[in-house]
Amino acid sequence: VDPSTWPEVDSQPLSIEDSWRLRVASAHVYSIVKNRDVAHFERVMGFLEATYRLLPRLVAPIKHMKIMFGLKTMVIMWMLREGRGIVDTVFKISQFFPSKLPQYRDKCSQHEMFLMRKNHVDFKALAQALAMDKNKLEDYIKNQMEKQYGEHYAQKVEDRLLHYLHELETVLPGETYIDKILKKESPVTEEEKLLLEVITSDSTTIATTLKKLLHCG
């Protein structure tokens, strides 16, 4: 299924009680990264930020930061490669790489905070320099971008995300909402009917059904 046809998972707040929504969202964000759909990576970041607020101890803060950092750097390198414009690119660099990281403060060691800040400062300096110098950017794209931020880098980010999603799965309720519905003799609500459609659908109809489902009620 084309990830761009999936429903917006952040249209409603996520909660542990809605384990089925978290599982749908997990599948969605993994699909985006797996398909290198960089244009939609900010959806993945939104999911990671939401689940970090929901479960701040799910993984070590530095592990969460590494996934977020990986996604952000890939977006910036994509913008530079695609020539998305100096103003838009510099704005996005500043938005993604602020001087402070309040979401991780008091949750990790001073050394880890130092490493996080250093990574942000170093990448921000590189990206801004490339955005402002066309010749430098052309040379970087030709000789270094693939080696430093190409497929090998993307695979590491994907692997880290997959590990995070596995950890998330371990804290969700064992018996899913779908399990409960399957045990019933027949679906009762419209939501349950739609979920059964998802379970029995082929890939051509699942995205449409999920879109209806997430807007149920």
Side-chain angles (χ1 to χ4, degrees):
V1 180
D2 178 359
S4 65
T5 66
W6 285 57
E8 290 282 357
V9 296
D10 56 356
S11 58
Q12 303 168 43
L14 294 170
S15 71
I16 291 294
E17 288 71 29
D18 292 332
S19 60
W20 65 271
R21 290 192 68 241
L22 279 166
R23 287 184 169 99
V24 169
S26 294
H28 181 193
V29 299
Y30 181 68
S31 176
I32 289 172
V33 174
K34 180 74 174 173
N35 287 286
R36 306 292 185 260
D37 183 14
V38 185
H40 293 106
F41 271 20
E42 288 191 63
R43 293 185 186 181
V44 183
M45 295 176 212
F47 174 79
L48 288 168
E49 287 170 348
T51 52
Y52 187 71
R53 287 192 297 270
L54 202 60
L55 298 159
R57 294 181 180 82
L58 183 65
V59 297
I62 196 163
K63 289 186 176 181
H64 186 270
M65 185 281 295
K66 283 180 177 179
I67 306 170
M68 293 290 289
F69 181 81
L71 294 168
K72 289 174 179 179
T73 52
M74 287 175 68
V75 170
I76 297 301
M77 286 299 166
W78 171 74
M79 292 181 75
L80 290 167
R81 188 175 62 249
E82 297 295 315
R84 305 291 285 199
I86 293 175
V87 174
D88 288 347
T89 303
V90 170
F91 172 79
K92 191 63 71 175
I93 292 167
S94 297
Q95 179 188 348
F96 279 176
F97 302 98
S99 56
K100 295 181 180 179
L101 300 167
Q103 68 271 42
Y104 302 119
R105 193 177 57 235
D106 302 327
K107 292 177 180 151
C108 51
S109 68
Q110 286 186 337
H111 179 64
E112 287 174 336
M113 283 302 298
F114 170 78
L115 290 176
M116 290 182 191
R117 289 198 188 99
K118 186 176 187 306
N119 285 339
H120 278 66
V121 168
D122 290 350
F123 182 84
K124 185 176 184 178
L126 169 66
Q128 287 178 333
L130 294 174
M132 301 300 291
D133 189 326
K134 187 177 180 181
N135 292 331
K136 185 181 285 188
L137 175 59
E138 287 176 355
D139 181 72
Y140 185 83
I141 291 172
K142 183 178 178 182
N143 297 308
Q144 297 184 65
M145 185 177 281
E146 177 59 32
K147 183 167 67 175
Q148 294 183 351
Y149 294 99
E151 181 53 32
H152 179 71
Y153 184 86
Q155 188 59 53
K156 284 176 66 177
V157 175
E158 180 189 327
D159 291 345
R160 284 173 174 155
L161 175 65
L162 186 60
H163 172 76
Y164 182 86
L165 297 177
H166 282 160
E167 291 298 309
L168 178 61
E169 176 65 26
T170 65
V171 302
L172 296 180
E175 186 178 57
T176 69
Y177 191 28
I178 290 172
D179 292 330
K180 292 175 182 176
I181 292 169
L182 287 173
K183 289 178 182 177
K184 291 186 178 182
E185 290 186 9
S186 61
V188 178
T189 66
E190 185 64 23
E191 188 177 271
E192 291 175 354
K193 290 174 184 175
L194 286 168
L195 267 173
L196 281 175
E197 278 186 46
V198 171
I199 298 163
T200 57
S201 284
D202 57 32
S203 62
T204 59
T205 59
I206 191 169
T208 303
T209 306
L210 285 170
K211 192 170 290 187
K212 291 180 189 173
L213 176 62
L214 286 188
H215 291 89
C216 238

